[in-house]
């Protein structure tokens, strides 16, 4: 989507009568200023699922789905990342909770991301540290890190956790949509009331390694428990404010306050089901139906299951929200936790619906434009776009150094 289409995107939303504030995009000097800010590649995005989509749609074949070229039907490719001013991306190496071989599949996903980066040295480089990110981004390239989603992928082994760190994983989401043997998920069965003793050991080992603890997807009790257990600030790599959209996966105010007290960051997710209150309820209903559907498919039937899910959600008439809803969540987290504790984790290619104005990774400047329109200062915008996330990674590295000495 080219930037010239912005007016129609906003006016479509406007025409529904759900948005009262008129945005005169063409007249907005903010559009030009936002574009300028993004030429510096300031965005550090916390969560992107391109690797999972390449696995399921293209059998992990990078000749079929080559991110160096425009990938129609995907949200992400390198040309559009550059257009969106993305200077660093955490690539999710997600495997589903129901995977029959979580570790094997996670390693395959890690190697897929590494192959993708190795094939495009002109634009992409792997980063191991926060300093690497700053350097690579400063050279006009996109720094790449990985996040494992979720904790079932270590198959209960701290040795595996250490190996994932060695392979480049720099955060781990403690659960995905189901509870595992040591942590409860927001959308799974409540089994432990938070973390088990071993769950605390996992968090401590992540601290020692310098792997960030990610509280997206976990239950509210697991969020609180993980923040109390962690010696480093935690992240939510792709989560929103529960007070604005009451999906169980979103973050309640008391946890936002804990994140403020301990120095973490909440990276805002663009999925309408976590953004818009009414859509959150419907999305949770679909999730429950999807879980029932999943039980009808065997292991290795990801593509068939995803097709069945597409049929399940076809024709839904949900309020998708818009870039203004995303900025509402940014402002809410900034108000409750403080401006040093909010960032971006769009969840592109992990979501089957996007808000108006944020159709793909080229559209991050629309967020900046809306922040400028709401009279945010340049230094605060920089914090949201990436500075806060970089600070938390720095801090995780410092805690690791102390833990190893
Ligand atoms: Zn996720």
């Amino acid at each position: 989507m080219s930037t010239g289409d912005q007016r129609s995107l906003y006016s479509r939303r406007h025409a529904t009568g759900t948005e009262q504030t008129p945005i005169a995009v063409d007249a907005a000097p903010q559009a030009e200023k936002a574009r300028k800010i993004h030429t510096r590649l300031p965005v550090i995005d916390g969560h992107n699922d391109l690797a999972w989509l390449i696995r399921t749609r293209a059998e992990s074949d990078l000749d079929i789905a080559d991110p160096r070229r425009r990938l129609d039907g995907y949200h992400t490719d390198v040309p559009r990342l550059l257009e969106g001013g993305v200077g660093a991306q955490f690539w999710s190496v997600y495997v589903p909770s129901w995977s029959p071989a979580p570790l094997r599949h996670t390693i395959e996903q890690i190697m897929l991301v590494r192959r993708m980066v190795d094939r495009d040295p002109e634009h992409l480089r792997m980063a191991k540290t926060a300093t690497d990110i700053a350097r690579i981004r400063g050279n006009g390239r996109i720094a790449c890190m990985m996040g494992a989603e979720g904790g079932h992928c270590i198959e209960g082994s701290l040795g595996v956790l250490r190996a994932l760190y060695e392979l480049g994983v720099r955060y781990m989401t403690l659960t995905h949509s189901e509870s595992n043997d040591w942590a409860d998920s927001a959308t799974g069965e409540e089994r432990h009331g938070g973390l088990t003793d071993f769950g605390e050991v996992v968090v401590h080992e992540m601290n020692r390694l310098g792997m960030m603890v990610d509280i997206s997807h976990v239950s509210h009790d697991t969020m609180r428990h993980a923040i109390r257990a962690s010696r480093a600030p935690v992240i939510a790599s792709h989560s929103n404010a529960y007070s604005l959209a009451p999906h169980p996966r979103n973050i309640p105010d008391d946890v936002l306050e804990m994140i403020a007290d301990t120095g973490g960051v909440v990276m805002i997710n663009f999925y309408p089901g976590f953004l818009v209150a009414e859509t959150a309820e419907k999305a949770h209903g679909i999730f429950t139906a999807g879980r029932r559907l999943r039980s009808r498919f065997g292991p290795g039937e990801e593509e068939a299951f995803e097709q069945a899910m597409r049929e399940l959600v076809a024709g839904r008439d949900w309020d998708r929200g818009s870039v203004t809803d995303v900025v509402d969540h940014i402002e809410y987290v900034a108000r409750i936790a403080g401006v040093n504790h909010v960032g971006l984790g769009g969840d592109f290619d992990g979501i089957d619906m996007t808000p108006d104005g944020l159709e793909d990774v080229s559209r991050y400047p629309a967020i900046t434009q809306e922040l400028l329109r709401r009279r945010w200062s340049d230094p605060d915008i920089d914090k949201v776009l990436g500075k806060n996330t970089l600070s938390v990674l720095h801090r995780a590295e410092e805690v690791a150094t102390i833990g190893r000495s």
Side-chain angles (χ1 to χ4, degrees):
M1 177 89 37
S2 77
T3 42
D5 291 330
Q6 282 171 5
R7 180 209 273 268
S8 61
L9 291 171
Y10 287 122
S11 49
R12 186 156 23 104
R13 166 77 165 159
H14 200 45
T16 63
T18 50
E19 173 59 53
Q20 281 91 40
T21 315
I23 305 172
V25 171
D26 287 353
Q30 291 98 340
E32 190 47 42
K33 190 170 176 198
R35 263 196 295 276
K36 222 179 216 165
I37 288 172
H38 282 259
T39 55
R40 295 191 278 111
L41 301 186
V43 175
I44 301 179
D45 182 276
H47 199 87
N48 183 298
D49 271 308
L50 176 63
W52 178 252
L53 220 51
I54 293 177
R55 178 188 182 95
T56 50
R57 282 197 194 166
E59 294 179 3
S60 306
D61 187 335
L62 289 167
D63 289 324
I64 295 172
D66 184 350
R68 292 174 297 185
R69 298 191 302 259
R70 166 99 191 186
L71 283 177
D72 287 326
Y74 293 70
H75 299 145
T76 313
D77 50 48
V78 171
R80 283 181 289 174
L81 284 168
L82 292 168
E83 194 184 331
V86 178
Q89 181 66 62
F90 282 90
W91 300 103
S92 174
V93 289
Y94 158 77
V95 294
S97 314
W98 39 263
S99 166
L103 172 59
R104 190 183 96 202
H105 291 168
T106 300
I107 289 177
E108 286 168 357
Q109 292 308 95
I110 289 171
M111 297 320 289
L112 175 59
V113 170
R114 290 176 57 151
R115 277 192 291 132
M116 180 179 91
V117 173
D118 287 348
R119 280 162 59 109
D120 195 358
E122 198 187 328
H123 301 113
L124 305 177
R125 290 292 164 95
M126 289 306 303
K128 288 185 173 170
T129 62
T131 309
D132 284 352
I133 288 185
R135 189 193 66 249
I136 294 165
R137 201 165 61 137
N139 290 337
R141 294 192 179 94
I142 300 163
C144 299
M145 283 194 168
M146 288 177 279
E149 185 185 26
H152 58 289
C153 73
I154 65 168
E155 299 191 7
S157 162
L158 295 178
V160 166
L161 180 69
R162 293 173 198 129
L164 294 183
Y165 179 86
E166 289 300 320
L167 289 170
V169 171
R170 288 297 178 267
Y171 75 71
M172 182 169 77
T173 319
L174 299 179
T175 73
H176 190 244
S177 52
E178 303 292 339
S179 301
N180 59 39
D181 290 342
W182 46 269
D184 282 346
S185 164
T187 48
E189 188 195 342
E190 194 188 323
R191 288 170 56 187
H192 320 295
L195 294 172
T196 64
D197 289 349
F198 180 70
E200 285 194 14
V201 171
V202 171
V203 166
H204 291 156
E205 185 60 13
M206 291 172 74
N207 293 157
R208 195 189 68 81
L209 291 165
M211 189 189 283
M212 294 187 292
V213 174
D214 180 15
I215 59 163
S216 285
H217 284 288
V218 305
S219 73
H220 293 174
D221 279 342
T222 307
M223 292 177 188
R224 296 177 187 115
H225 199 153
I227 294 171
R228 281 197 306 271
S230 180
R231 297 174 183 128
V234 304
I235 61 167
S237 69
H238 55 311
S239 290
N240 294 348
Y242 186 84
S243 289
L244 297 189
H247 191 289
R249 198 191 157 303
N250 280 343
I251 303 181
D253 289 358
D254 69 298
V255 175
L256 291 178
E257 284 166 9
M258 288 175 83
I259 285 172
D261 291 343
T262 50
V265 64
V266 176
M267 303 180 213
I268 300 298
N269 190 316
F270 304 165
Y271 181 55
F274 308 142
L275 270 185
V276 181
E278 180 197 315
T279 313
E281 247 166 69
K282 293 176 180 168
H284 192 45
I286 283 281
F287 172 84
T288 311
R291 177 189 273 151
R292 278 198 299 272
L293 190 65
R294 175 65 225 172
S295 62
R296 291 202 239 133
F297 291 87
E301 292 184 302
E302 285 102 347
E303 180 53 40
F305 168 63
E306 299 215 346
Q307 178 57 31
M309 274 305 287
R310 281 194 284 277
E311 283 161 25
L312 181 71
V313 299
R316 79 203 136 153
D317 183 23
W318 291 1
D319 183 351
R320 312 162 75 91
S322 77
V323 66
T324 61
D325 294 289
V326 170
V327 175
D328 286 350
H329 279 267
I330 292 173
E331 288 199 318
Y332 188 84
V333 173
R335 185 150 60 81
I336 304 295
V339 73
N340 294 337
H341 306 285
V342 59
L344 302 174
D347 210 1
F348 277 121
D349 281 320
I351 57 181
D352 58 0
M353 187 183 242
T354 55
D356 279 351
L358 286 171
E359 282 70 13
D360 61 36
V361 295
S362 72
R363 302 289 304 140
Y364 291 95
I367 295 170
T368 304
Q369 188 180 334
E370 178 63 11
L371 289 169
L372 287 165
R373 196 184 70 78
R374 298 187 190 189
R375 308 207 185 290
W376 275 54
S377 70
D378 288 12
D380 283 351
I381 289 174
D382 267 352
K383 287 178 181 182
V384 173
L385 295 186
K387 231 175 174 176
N388 290 340
T389 300
L390 207 54
S391 300
V392 174
L393 182 58
H394 259 303
R395 185 66 196 130
E397 289 168 2
E398 281 168 10
V399 169
T401 312
I402 297 162
R404 281 167 182 163
S405 60

